[in-house]
Amino acid sequence: MSRLETSSPLTRALTSPWLLAAVVLFAFYWQLGVMPLYDLDEGAFTEATREMLASGNFITPHKDGEPRYDKPVLIYWLQALSASSLGFDEFSLRLPSALAATLWVMALWGFVRARLDAPTATVAALAMTLSLQVSLIAKAAVADAVLNLFIALAFFEIYRYFLDPGERQSRNALLRAYLWMGLGFLTKGPVAVFFPVVVSFLFFWSQGRLERWLQAAFAPLGWLVFVLVAGPWYLAVYLDDGAGFFRSFFLEHNAGRFGGTMHGHSGFPGYYLVMLPLILLPFTGWFLSLLARLRTSWADPLDRFLWLWFATVFVFFSFSGTKLPHYLLYGATPLFILMARHRDALTSRALAMVPPLLFFALLLALPLVVQIAAGQGGRAHEVAQFELALPLLGPAYLVQIALATALVVVLALWSRPALWQRLVLVGLIQTAVVYGAVVPRVFAVMQAPVKEAGLLARELDRPTVVYRTSMPSFSVYRDAITPHRPPRAGDLVFLRVDKLDRLIEDYPLLRGEQLYRRGPVALVLMHPREQARVPGGEG
């Protein structure tokens, strides 16, 4: 930083750890329990947690009565601990992710402060906290914030091991790296080991220290720590459920995700070239400014380590058959450090400010986009969502987004603060808009009807089934397992509205009485075809 920048009140404010603490509270905890759980991911994780608490089986996770082999157990344990302590609701189920993201930020701050300086550490932590995708997973009841915490901790210990020549200190760093990999393996499996091992190999090899890497990679005490942390549950799930978890998790959900497309999450070869600028918003231009210094950065060991960390994740997932935006977060932590360290490289106003301005322009155009999409027709549940969304995207929404956009324009035209400082302020505006105006409306359209249907089914307390629909949060709100079996007379059926006609076609001896229909979902009570119509029913 220049002397003028260092001495400015804005710089002192933005590099204050107290401000960072306030920003973390704002970005990770504000609105944490307000919005319904989203499907599929939050619903699937939290239903497995609910069934774990209800059944007392803390070894094999289940969803709607069937074993759930998608992820290992740690996230369910954390959610169960939070929910049993604070009450089973959206806040308690998301709290482990918010706490993990907070620790992730603290770990980054401590690492950068020790390697560089406190102001740079605070700037890196602010950028990470305010980036779009990090704040999203910090507020989500899924495993990703916990996994990213352990991946980052493992990488930080690997670099400490590289730097520290002292036998005791380097051994401690190495054992901690194995500890974090073990906890990561208990959170999401091999990915928590694969990237630290591959990146550390490439880094030590590039530094001519391959022998030291081999000592670490084949350290018996390190692997003992790993096995003691991760091994007991993997043994327990085998004893409890046989080899089913291992076949499904390792072959289908790991090797299968890389080799093929799962759950329709495919992507073109340049998918992550498009997604990276989005997940880094509003700091996309800040990242792009680093590319001009890539060659000179390579000579610095810390920069080389950080670039290898990011590049390995980027390249690996670019070749994966299954692609999701949050996969890139495994390699995003080093980018925030690089951006903070080389913040003086951000000198182009257009490069810095155009990406967030385009994002806010898209938010302004959202009502028009939805209106056009509604006019195009489509499947019944999509049309219902568009119709539900349009009233929510009226004058109040446009005023909120217009005011926020005006503030971003003012910051773009303001010439005195450094560009990175203006982007941090834009990040605060973006966070306020996304979680104050956009996400609540999206969830009101997509998930509030599911929650309402689940609560109604819970109140009615009748046998309930799901028909050709995958929205597991319904079971969470119903507080009961909802099987996917053929409906019988007297059953409630939860389904997407585009499946209503198919339901009657598949079961001609039954007729449905719609007890609830809103947005994309419906709740139908099944009667025998010959039974007289129930007064007040819709038939």
Side-chain angles (χ1 to χ4, degrees), residues 17-27:
W18 295 107
L19 175 71
L20 174 61
V23 170
V24 167
L25 288 173
F26 173 55

Side-chain angles (χ1 to χ4, degrees), residues 290-365:
L290 299 174
L291 300 179
R293 292 191 177 184
L294 180 55
R295 181 172 295 182
T296 56
S297 289
W298 192 252
D300 181 89
L302 176 58
D303 278 17
R304 181 182 298 194
F305 178 73
L306 298 172
W307 276 115
L308 281 171
W309 178 356
F310 162 71
T312 302
V313 173
F314 184 89
V315 171
F316 177 83
F317 283 117
S318 292
F319 287 96
S320 174
T322 301
K323 292 180 171 66
L324 286 167
H326 65 263
Y327 289 171
L328 272 190
L329 286 185
Y330 307 154
T333 301
L335 296 183
F336 301 117
I337 301 173
L338 288 164
M339 286 190 285
R341 187 181 194 185
H342 301 291
R343 53 194 180 275
D344 60 319
L346 182 60
T347 57
S348 169
R349 182 184 304 186
L351 186 64
M353 304 307 295
V354 165
L357 284 171
L358 288 175
F359 177 66
F360 279 90
L362 177 62
L363 295 182
L364 275 174

Side-chain angles (χ1 to χ4, degrees), residues 176-327:
R176 289 193 299 268
Y178 276 97
L179 168 66
W180 304 132
M181 287 192 293
L183 288 169
F185 199 75
L186 204 56
T187 304
K188 213 168 182 181
V191 68
V193 179
F194 175 80
F195 287 118
V197 169
V198 171
V199 174
S200 62
F201 169 77
L202 295 173
F203 176 66
F204 278 76
W205 182 35
S206 74
Q207 294 291 121
R209 306 281 295 278
L210 193 55
E211 182 179 351
R212 185 163 170 78
W213 180 86
L214 290 170
Q215 292 173 354
F218 295 97
L221 190 56
W223 285 110
L224 177 62
V225 169
F226 179 88
V227 170
L228 288 175
V229 170
W233 176 77
Y234 280 89
L235 175 61
V237 77
Y238 176 77
L239 295 176
D240 184 61
D241 199 52
F245 173 82
F246 295 87
R247 286 194 302 266
S248 180
F249 178 66
F250 289 105
L251 297 180
E252 180 182 350
H253 290 285
N254 281 272
R257 283 179 185 270
F258 184 81
T261 299
M262 291 193 65
H263 306 307
H265 298 307
S266 61
F268 53 93
Y271 175 85
Y272 286 114
L273 289 173
V274 175
M275 296 312 302
L276 181 61
L278 295 178
I279 71 171
L280 292 178
L281 280 169
F283 308 114
T284 305
W286 195 350
F287 160 71
L288 293 175
S289 71
L290 299 174
L291 300 179
R293 292 191 177 184
L294 180 55
R295 181 172 295 182
T296 56
S297 289
W298 192 252
D300 181 89
L302 176 58
D303 278 17
R304 181 182 298 194
F305 178 73
L306 298 172
W307 276 115
L308 281 171
W309 178 356
F310 162 71
T312 302
V313 173
F314 184 89
V315 171
F316 177 83
F317 283 117
S318 292
F319 287 96
S320 174
T322 301
K323 292 180 171 66
L324 286 167
H326 65 263
Y327 289 171

Side-chain angles (χ1 to χ4, degrees), residues 1 4-16 119 418 420-421:
M1 290 186 293
L4 178 62
E5 182 186 339
T6 304
S7 62
S8 72
L10 183 59
T11 299
R12 290 196 297 271
L14 291 180
T15 54
S16 165
W420 72 264
Q421 296 174 340

